Amino acid sequence: MLDAQLVKLPVAAQKHHHEHHQVVVGVQGTADLNVEGTGSRLDTWNACLVPTEATHDYCGDSQNHVLVINLDPQLPQLSSPAHGDYESLAPLFERPRALVMDSKMQGLVQFAAGEIDRSPANMPMQRHLAASILHCMADRLSENREAPVHRKAIQPGAIRRYILENLHRKITVKDLAGVACLSVSRFHELFRAATGVTPHQFILQTRLDQATKLLVSSSLSVSEVSYHTGFSSHSALTNALRKQRGTTPTKLRFGEKAA
């Protein structure tokens, strides 16, 4: 068994265990997962690896969606050291662990979630996407084992939450460095290493993500959306969307929404 599905976790806490390995990745909103004492806050930058038989508690906010990948530990990939994939995939489930994703990993997860949502009955596609995510996670886990451990870990999810809470005002790299309790230069270095983008790019992308969400799902005017997401004007938001995403507020609100 190897499958992937989009799930909305209940607001009230639940507990269970199962006879298969599981990866739970944040796709939208926030959720909490506690696996035998290892707690993980799931948002769009975090995942949790749950080994077989590990009891775990889970719940989420009203907007949460997570991507759940189930993997039978008796599959050839994991059941035999002679199999080519054993060395890379088996370490994922040695113990419960939380994983902070970089921007490329996050992009892959968001793409996979979109495709699964678009075609929920396409099981072969789901299996291929799930396998790709597992291998990318395993590859990053291997790199992290070989790389020196930073004394200060960057948490992109926490940085993103701070940005969302302060979208209406100017946010500086110094502000974000303060959240991480690091100097500006050290924060910039570690943040780029962890996410693959600069703090300025991350701020802009977070603003655009929220602006896109408001344009599609709310009745706010474009000027109001610009104000709420920290753009100086209607034209500033339009220019940023056109340059970064190849679209405009009008296309998002009417064209893409209608599609």
Side-chain angles (χ1 to χ4, degrees):
M1 174 187 67
L2 174 61
D3 63 57
Q5 54 187 308
L6 282 173
V7 175
K8 184 172 184 177
L9 298 182
V11 175
Q14 306 284 328
K15 177 186 290 188
H16 72 183
H17 68 276
H18 34 67
E19 296 181 354
H20 55 266
H21 298 315
Q22 190 173 79
V23 178
V24 186
V25 194
V27 171
Q28 178 181 317
T30 59
D32 290 294
L33 194 65
N34 189 297
V35 187
E36 296 185 344
T38 298
S40 181
R41 181 77 166 176
L42 298 178
D43 56 23
T44 56
W45 291 93
N46 292 279
C48 189
L49 310 181
V50 185
T52 180
E53 296 292 352
T55 300
H56 46 289
D57 302 84
Y58 54 93
C59 63
D61 65 15
S62 60
Q63 303 298 317
N64 91 86
H65 282 86
V66 297
L67 179 63
V68 177
I69 299 174
N70 297 310
L71 176 66
D72 188 334
Q74 297 307 310
L75 278 175
Q77 290 97 317
L78 290 183
S79 61
S80 171
H83 194 282
D85 291 339
Y86 179 87
E87 291 294 334
S88 62
L89 291 184
L92 280 174
F93 303 102
E94 291 174 342
R95 57 179 174 80
R97 72 174 83 232
L99 178 68
V100 179
M101 299 183 292
D102 58 32
S103 60
K104 292 181 179 179
M105 187 78 242
Q106 189 222 29
L108 173 61
V109 168
Q110 292 292 329
F111 170 77
E115 290 300 296
I116 291 169
D117 184 51
R118 182 186 64 82
S119 185
N122 190 335
M123 300 304 293
M125 177 192 71
Q126 291 179 24
R127 287 192 291 270
H128 282 292
L129 290 172
S132 297
I133 290 171
L134 288 175
H135 279 282
C136 288
M137 286 184 172
D139 188 58
R140 282 158 173 75
L141 178 62
S142 176
E143 289 178 352
N144 289 339
R145 284 179 166 181
E146 296 172 1
V149 177
H150 296 303
R151 288 176 295 176
K152 295 284 189 178
I154 294 293
Q155 296 289 335
I159 299 299
R160 186 172 185 273
R161 284 193 292 274
Y162 175 85
I163 295 171
L164 289 173
E165 291 168 359
N166 295 274
L167 271 182
H168 59 285
R169 68 175 185 84
K170 181 179 180 180
I171 302 170
T172 67
V173 177
K174 184 177 180 180
D175 294 330
L176 303 187
V179 174
C181 300
L182 292 167
S183 68
V184 171
S185 60
R186 186 61 171 156
F187 173 79
H188 195 285
E189 175 190 353
L190 294 182
F191 189 87
R192 184 158 191 169
T195 66
V197 298
T198 68
H200 285 297
Q201 290 170 328
F202 189 81
I203 293 170
L204 175 59
Q205 294 306 320
T206 303
R207 290 191 191 280
L208 289 175
D209 287 343
Q210 188 66 9
T212 299
K213 180 179 178 181
L214 290 174
L215 287 166
V216 171
S217 64
S218 80
S219 59
L220 294 174
S221 69
V222 178
S223 293
E224 289 173 319
V225 171
S226 302
Y227 170 76
H228 284 295
T229 53
F231 289 93
S232 59
S233 65
H234 177 298
S235 60
L237 172 58
T238 300
N239 290 337
L241 280 170
R242 183 180 290 115
K243 182 178 180 180
Q244 298 293 324
R245 310 245 168 129
T247 188
T248 66
T250 300
K251 289 179 180 178
L252 285 171
R253 173 150 282 174
F254 299 107
E256 294 182 15
K257 190 174 182 181

